[in-house]
Amino acid sequence: AQTVTQSQPEMSVQEAETVTLSCTYDTSENNYYLFWYKQPPSRQMILVIRQEAYKQQNATENRFSVNFQKAAKSFSLKISDSQLGDTAMYFCAFIPSKNAGGTSYGKLTFGQGTILTVHP
Amino acid sequence: DTAVSQTPKYLVTQMGNDKSIKCEQNLGHDTMYWYKQDSKKFLKIMFSYNNKELIINETVPNRFSPKSPDKAHLNLHINSLELGDSAVYFCASSPRLQGASLGYTFGSGTRLTVV
């Protein structure tokens, strides 16, 4: 079974600064996908960024980038030039690839979440 | 608008009642899911349907019964509601089971409060 761990329950950052959210995961699969989702106070789950495990290059989406360390099973999210609108709960999530079998197939497993507050 | 829509957004009901939450997606996706987010914000999968077929059924009380009349709809019916059922329930979809690697598209959630 897969597990996803976010060890930082809460983080805060000043507007315009950079913050990094940590995530580690445990799996025996070799092919999988990792995600960061954002949940603002509106409750909507928003996909922020996606990483394919077989790609060594770290994914980037504008101010959001990841540091993917496959051997260490680590997948951190870096938010640059933080904005007030980045205030939200952030979830790291894992899903095995289509070539993996077992009971985890198609199941997106989430970490516990990190509450990020951006201060003006 | 293309989306995953859930109704109702808020539901307050008494213990022992039976209630349903409806979900519809117009994205043309084959696979739909129900997730429960508890008071600590932890998200856990409950069910998954692929083209109307039940694929994932986690350890969920029998009082919860999903129904998928077609691949665009996945409803959740809950019998004999208990205080512990209070949570936010999210519906989600993905292009197909194999396409879940692209991530899910989530509905806006239904906050269920049992009193």
Side-chain angles (χ1 to χ4, degrees):
Chain A
Q2 281 72 225
T3 57
V4 179
T5 302
Q6 294 177 247
S7 58
Q8 305 154 313
E10 293 187 46
M11 294 281 284
S12 64
V13 65
Q14 292 296 124
E15 199 174 6
E17 293 187 348
T18 296
V19 64
T20 299
L21 308 184
S22 300
C23 173
T24 58
Y25 58 94
D26 187 23
T27 183
S28 57
E29 306 289 351
N30 192 45
N31 295 318
Y32 48 87
Y33 299 86
L34 294 159
F35 307 86
W36 279 97
Y37 277 87
K38 168 185 177 181
Q39 187 179 38
S42 66
R43 203 170 68 203
Q44 182 69 50
M45 293 290 290
I46 302 163
L47 179 61
V48 174
I49 199 164
R50 169 182 174 268
Q51 174 77 42
E52 300 170 8
Y54 60 85
K55 285 189 177 179
Q56 290 188 335
Q57 186 174 4
N58 289 324
T60 61
E61 287 287 341
N62 301 314
R63 298 183 295 108
F64 298 88
S65 61
V66 299
N67 183 3
F68 173 50
Q69 302 288 329
K70 190 173 183 179
K73 295 181 181 173
S74 169
F75 182 61
S76 61
L77 175 70
K78 186 172 85 170
I79 306 174
S80 304
D81 186 26
S82 296
Q83 300 176 359
L84 297 178
D86 296 333
T87 293
M89 189 143 191
Y90 287 80
F91 292 95
C92 178
F94 168 104
I95 197 166
S97 77
K98 65 178 181 179
N99 293 321
T103 58
S104 298
Y105 188 37
K107 183 165 72 174
L108 191 61
T109 299
F110 287 89
Q112 308 93 317
T114 297
I115 299 172
L116 175 67
T117 304
V118 180
H119 297 286
Chain B
D1 289 342
T2 55
V4 179
S5 57
Q6 294 179 231
T7 53
K9 292 194 186 312
Y10 297 92
L11 185 53
V12 180
T13 187
Q14 291 187 326
M15 274 195 305
N17 284 351
D18 303 338
K19 290 293 179 184
S20 292
I21 305 171
K22 296 187 176 182
C23 180
E24 175 182 6
Q25 54 93 6
N26 60 3
L27 298 163
H29 289 173
D30 283 347
T31 311
M32 297 183 73
Y33 312 83
W34 279 111
Y35 272 75
K36 179 180 180 180
Q37 186 173 41
D38 63 23
S39 59
K40 295 183 179 179
K41 303 291 189 181
F42 188 66
L43 282 150
K44 187 169 166 50
I45 193 168
M46 300 172 70
F47 303 103
S48 167
Y49 270 75
N50 187 55
N51 207 5
K52 300 194 297 176
E53 180 186 354
L54 182 65
I55 299 296
I56 296 172
N57 185 351
E58 292 291 283
T59 307
V60 177
N62 291 336
R63 300 181 294 101
F64 290 79
S65 53
K67 285 186 172 53
S68 182
D70 55 61
K71 71 175 191 179
H73 295 84
L74 179 61
N75 304 322
L76 183 65
H77 188 76
I78 315 170
N79 290 325
S80 303
L81 278 155
E82 300 177 357
L83 292 176
D85 297 332
S86 296
V88 178
Y89 293 85
F90 282 96
C91 178
S93 71
S94 64
R96 52 199 177 281
L97 201 58
Q98 299 90 330
S101 60
L102 298 173
Y104 297 175
T105 301
F106 282 86
S108 56
T110 296
R111 180 177 292 282
L112 171 65
T113 303
V114 183
V115 297

